[in-house]
Amino acid sequence: MLLIACPFCGPRDETEFRCGGESHIARPGPAETVSDERWGDYLFNRANPKGVHLERWLHGHGCGQWFNVARDTVSHRVLAVYRMGDPPPKDLTP
Amino acid sequence: MAEIVLRQSPLDHLSLDARAVAEPGPAGVVAGERRFVAKVNLRGDPADEAFVKVAKGALKVFLPTTPNTVDGKRDRYALWLGPDEWLVIGAPGTEGRLVADLRKALDGIVAAVTDVTEGRTVIRLSGVHARETLAKGCGLDLHPRAFGRGRCAQTRLGKANVILHQLDDAPTFDVYVERSFADYLWRWIEDGASEYGFAIVAEPIMAALKARRATR
Ligand SMILES: [Zn+2]
């Protein structure tokens, strides 16, 4: 089980959280200028890296807040935890 | 606010009062239900000075901004639930007044006041093995160096979502459990505590035991 440090509550078991998929996906716009291909990419295509992955997590059984996690998909190590709206930390070595 | 005459605790069917003892003796865990404790969910921006000041004035307790902490005593507490969310606790029957006072005081300020009294009931757990009992099904570090008096947490206990609040060093815990999980969690606690000796006490006796322990 992962031990995830919620930026608000501190370290908690993975079972208190829900993963919300890849982070930092910006909605393209204005909608009428966006091609079908771009919309498709925005809606369906996600990165699936072997290594550092930036993802959103929800502390559903705790404070109810969303935040970002940088996780190494190989080792499952949580490399960084940062708040929604913040840019990812620069130095993320797995 | 629900009509008082229609109120039923989610643990009524367990007839806890009929099983309650006057003197728990050497029981390692003593438990009882605290029925109909007033619970009000309060949301607002802790960076908004007006909100903090007005809420403090209406509640007579601070809204803690340190995560997982509680302010208050006896019948009135404010539990930190999130960066902009608190659970305000009051004596049974006071939720209507509490909500009215808060709404009036917070008029014109961005805030949300919601009566959630009926959503959960409170199981109070006390005794030298209360901590071990909870630790059987809780991922939190409940050791006194990590979780002590005046601390709270929203977390999982067994398979239920709970709000934990440690009241003293006995240790005594209040476990706020959603009403549909109350039967499950009570049985889970009773099962987990049986190896330490388990006694049920009625609510007034629990308060008396606490007072006696304090004067010892
Ligand atoms: Zn949290």
Side-chain angles (χ1 to χ4, degrees):
Chain A
M1 191 186 307
L2 296 176
L3 188 66
I4 299 170
C6 168
F8 303 98
C9 304
R12 298 292 182 93
D13 282 351
E14 182 184 350
T15 50
E16 291 191 13
F17 300 87
R18 243 184 59 201
C19 183
E22 190 182 345
S23 198
H24 305 293
I25 294 174
R27 180 189 170 98
E32 62 274 18
T33 67
V34 179
S35 67
D36 286 353
E37 200 189 346
R38 192 126 182 262
W39 263 121
D41 185 50
Y42 161 68
L43 288 173
F44 303 114
N45 295 333
R46 295 291 179 266
N48 186 21
K50 185 177 180 182
V52 180
H53 190 225
L54 305 176
E55 50 202 24
R56 301 173 301 178
W57 284 75
L58 169 70
H59 194 190
H61 281 281
C63 60
Q65 301 291 313
W66 285 95
F67 58 96
N68 293 304
V69 171
R71 182 175 62 92
D72 182 354
T73 60
V74 179
S75 65
H76 278 310
R77 220 156 66 84
V78 174
L79 304 169
V81 169
Y82 54 104
R83 295 188 182 197
M84 275 292 157
D86 286 357
K90 291 245 157 47
D91 187 29
L92 290 172
T93 32
Chain B
M1 191 177 115
E3 293 289 333
I4 302 298
V5 288
L6 299 176
R7 270 191 166 169
Q8 195 179 23
S9 146
L11 295 176
D12 267 2
H13 63 290
L14 295 177
S15 304
L16 299 179
D17 280 349
R19 295 174 57 203
V21 295
E23 178 53 65
V29 179
V30 178
E33 186 195 9
R34 299 183 63 221
R35 293 177 181 86
F36 313 129
V37 171
K39 306 166 201 78
V40 176
N41 184 286
L42 176 61
R43 301 200 68 166
D45 181 1
D48 179 351
E49 279 173 32
F51 167 74
V52 173
K53 189 162 166 250
V54 163
K56 162 86 170 71
L59 295 172
K60 313 284 183 257
V61 293
F62 285 106
L63 296 176
T65 49
T66 305
N68 308 317
T69 61
V70 179
D71 187 46
K73 59 184 179 209
R74 282 195 295 277
D75 277 341
R76 177 60 56 80
Y77 292 100
L79 281 64
W80 183 96
L81 296 185
D84 58 2
E85 187 176 12
W86 296 267
L87 185 67
V88 178
I89 304 304
T94 60
E95 63 275 9
R97 183 68 188 278
L98 198 51
V99 167
D101 287 352
L102 273 171
R103 289 217 174 119
K104 193 167 163 230
L106 290 166
D107 188 35
I109 294 171
V110 179
V113 179
T114 315
D115 178 8
V116 292
T117 301
E118 307 299 324
R120 294 180 187 253
T121 192
V122 184
I123 298 171
R124 179 166 285 182
L125 219 69
S126 191
V128 288
H129 290 293
R131 183 179 286 118
E132 283 89 338
T133 304
L134 295 178
K136 288 181 178 187
C138 182
L140 283 181
D141 183 359
L142 295 175
H143 190 278
R145 77 176 161 243
F147 196 94
R149 180 159 45 98
R151 295 291 300 270
C152 70
Q154 287 190 92
T155 185
R156 281 169 56 130
L157 184 59
K159 294 184 194 306
N161 170 277
V162 296
I163 301 168
L164 278 184
H165 173 198
Q166 185 174 339
L167 293 121
D168 62 28
D169 297 323
T172 302
F173 297 91
D174 273 352
V175 181
Y176 294 79
V177 58
E178 288 164 341
R179 62 184 298 136
S180 55
F181 281 88
D183 171 85
Y184 157 76
L185 196 71
W186 178 275
R187 292 172 198 266
W188 184 92
I189 287 171
E190 195 166 335
D191 182 40
S194 60
E195 66 169 303
Y196 308 118
F198 181 70
I200 300 171
V201 291
E203 207 174 323
I205 296 172
M206 179 157 278
L209 286 174
K210 248 185 101 177
R212 201 179 59 192
R213 203 156 41 216
T215 55
R216 223 183 260 158

